[in-house]
Amino acid sequence: MNLAPAQLQEHLKRGLKSLYTLHGDEPLLLQEFADALRTAARAQGYTERTVHSVAGAHFDWSEVLASGGSLSLFADKQIVEIRIPSGKPGKDGSVALQQIAERAQGDDSTLTIVMLPRLDSATAKGAWFGALDSFGVSVKFDPIDRRNLPAWIALRLQQQGQRVAGGEEGQRTLQFFADRVEGNLLAAHQEIQKLGLLYPAQATGGDGVLSFEQVENAVLNVARYDVFKLSEAVLAGQALRVARMIDGLQAEGESEVLVHWALSEDIRSLKRVKDAIGAGRPMPMALRENRVWGVKEKLYERVLPNLSDSTLAQLLQAAHKVDGIVKGLKQPDWPASGWQALHRLAGMLCQQCMAPRAARPPAGEARG
């Protein structure tokens, strides 16, 4: 049984199940969900708790199996947590988890919580995960993407009696906040809590409204940038965000070579898909054959019809030049700095993904 994180409160009103599997990319959301399960369980008499962290291929699963079937003299109900940081329980673990899942049916004395990272499609199709999903409740925690981050911040502020001003000013405040904490949800949570301490509702006239200046002064720049999120921002034509992300990656000490690889791989992939379509392949098939899916699939579908063969050829040539620059070579008419060259390459691709076709200059004329 699948459950969305937002459905937790309604779910708890109908009563706890005996088995939950929590998996995904957002440790904060996963931890909060687990905390809510523990709180509900304690209110229902689950007084003991044991935690098992699965580490290494030689982990002894017998202790886990035993804990689920034994109660102390002082407890009627218990919580058993199984944490698998790698997401790979191994052969013995696979068998044990299937036994645990089957044993959970009708067991009202043990609440089992299995905690996992994001699972790839092959792992999610494994027999052990299938058993956990079939016999219990599974909850997937997807990352809060940049587009939805302002709304998430606004909701969290509301939960502690605060809000931003209405209209354009409030949107500006939320966008600023999101820029500061992008890619770091735990830090976003901490900054929101800090605002609650600095500007409690009673100190703002009772309405809890936060001004832009209050947020600007309080919120640290704790964004963490991801090379693969950079790729998505470039394909979405988000020029200002792209420039900020490249600066952030540089400040965090990211490798120039890795950033170049992400950008050039997108250019090569766009060219391969474009060539496949030119050879008669339908776009969905061309995308699938080139392993383009998820968020990027939608971005490619929007961008590809507006990219000419000559533009892609120019972008490929630019990527080739920047490859040399980040490895220490000099290129005529290009910045000597690898990061400046990356800014320019990203700007060239971003411009082609952003501007209406009639307004675009040739890729070679873009300047970073």
Side-chain angles (χ1 to χ4, degrees):
M1 171 186 172
N2 292 313
L3 180 72
Q7 297 173 322
L8 173 62
Q9 295 307 318
E10 285 300 316
H11 171 78
L12 290 178
K13 289 177 183 178
R14 298 191 294 271
L16 278 170
K17 300 296 182 182
S18 56
L19 173 63
Y20 291 85
T21 304
L22 314 182
H23 60 104
D25 272 337
E26 286 294 357
L28 170 69
L29 301 183
L30 191 151
Q31 189 61 48
E32 288 181 337
F33 197 101
D35 287 342
L37 290 179
R38 294 185 199 106
T39 300
R42 292 191 187 101
Q44 296 179 33
Y46 290 79
T47 55
E48 286 197 354
R49 175 184 171 217
T50 58
V51 179
H52 305 275
S53 294
V54 179
H58 303 293
F59 179 79
D60 184 4
W61 283 88
S62 61
E63 184 179 343
V64 183
L65 290 167
S67 66
S70 61
L71 290 168
S72 75
L73 295 173
F74 307 101
D76 295 324
K77 296 181 178 181
Q78 65 174 333
I79 303 170
V80 176
E81 292 183 23
I82 306 169
R83 301 176 180 180
I84 312 176
S86 69
K88 306 288 184 182
K91 184 177 179 181
D92 292 342
S94 176
V95 174
L97 288 171
Q98 290 177 70
Q99 293 177 15
I100 289 167
E102 293 171 6
R103 194 171 65 190
Q105 287 293 96
D107 184 356
D108 58 1
S109 63
T110 301
L111 167 64
T112 303
I113 305 174
V114 181
M115 303 172 74
L116 299 156
R118 182 180 65 86
L119 304 177
D120 57 38
S121 57
T123 303
K125 292 175 183 175
W128 62 272
F129 185 80
L132 292 173
D133 189 44
S134 297
F135 291 107
V137 178
S138 62
V139 189
K140 182 181 179 183
F141 298 87
D142 290 318
I144 306 296
D145 61 27
R146 177 59 181 79
R147 181 183 55 187
N148 295 319
L149 187 55
W152 184 87
I153 293 169
L155 178 61
R156 290 295 173 118
L157 287 172
Q158 182 183 353
Q159 290 171 353
Q160 62 186 30
Q162 294 178 304
R163 59 188 176 89
V164 298
E168 186 175 337
E169 180 187 348
Q171 290 304 310
R172 175 173 169 246
T173 303
L174 290 174
Q175 292 295 340
F176 170 83
F177 200 149
D179 286 344
R180 287 293 184 97
V181 299
E182 180 180 0
N184 194 346
L185 207 63
L186 178 58
H189 171 67
Q190 292 169 340
E191 295 300 311
I192 290 167
Q193 288 185 314
K194 183 170 72 176
L195 283 167
L197 295 172
L198 290 173
Y199 309 110
Q202 58 269 29
T204 55
D207 58 5
V209 176
L210 297 166
S211 68
F212 177 84
E213 289 72 21
Q214 287 173 322
V215 173
E216 183 181 33
N217 291 335
V219 178
L220 297 172
N221 189 353
V222 290
R224 288 181 186 165
Y225 298 110
D226 181 323
V227 220
F228 303 102
K229 291 296 182 185
L230 169 66
S231 172
E232 292 174 9
V234 170
L235 292 169
Q238 299 169 339
L240 293 176
R241 184 183 176 208
V242 167
R244 187 173 62 250
M245 292 179 82
I246 292 178
D247 286 340
L249 287 165
Q250 180 181 5
E252 290 171 7
E254 187 58 85
S255 163
E256 296 175 355
V257 174
L258 180 59
V259 176
H260 172 263
W261 174 85
L263 295 172
S264 59
E265 180 59 24
D266 270 326
I267 295 170
R268 288 191 293 266
S269 184
L270 286 165
K271 180 70 166 63
R272 288 193 297 266
V273 175
K274 185 78 172 179
D275 288 346
I277 294 171
R281 286 273 201 281
M283 184 180 289
M285 183 183 296
L287 290 169
R288 190 165 55 250
E289 288 174 347
N290 284 278
R291 304 173 66 82
V292 179
W293 44 65
V295 175
K296 280 197 172 182
E297 181 179 5
K298 301 298 183 186
L299 292 170
Y300 273 48
E301 288 174 350
R302 182 183 66 81
V303 167
L304 273 166
N306 298 319
L307 290 176
S308 67
D309 290 336
S310 61
T311 294
L312 285 169
Q314 289 173 331
L315 288 168
L316 279 171
Q317 180 62 24
H320 176 70
K321 289 182 178 180
V322 178
D323 179 59
I325 293 170
V326 298
K327 293 175 181 175
L329 302 177
K330 294 188 182 298
Q331 297 287 352
D333 301 323
W334 276 83
S337 159
W339 285 107
Q340 290 178 4
L342 289 168
H343 266 289
R344 181 170 167 185
L345 177 63
M348 291 170 63
L349 178 55
C350 191
Q351 186 177 48
Q352 298 303 316
C353 295
M354 171 183 60
R357 184 168 180 78
R360 293 178 189 155
E365 294 181 11
R367 290 290 182 268

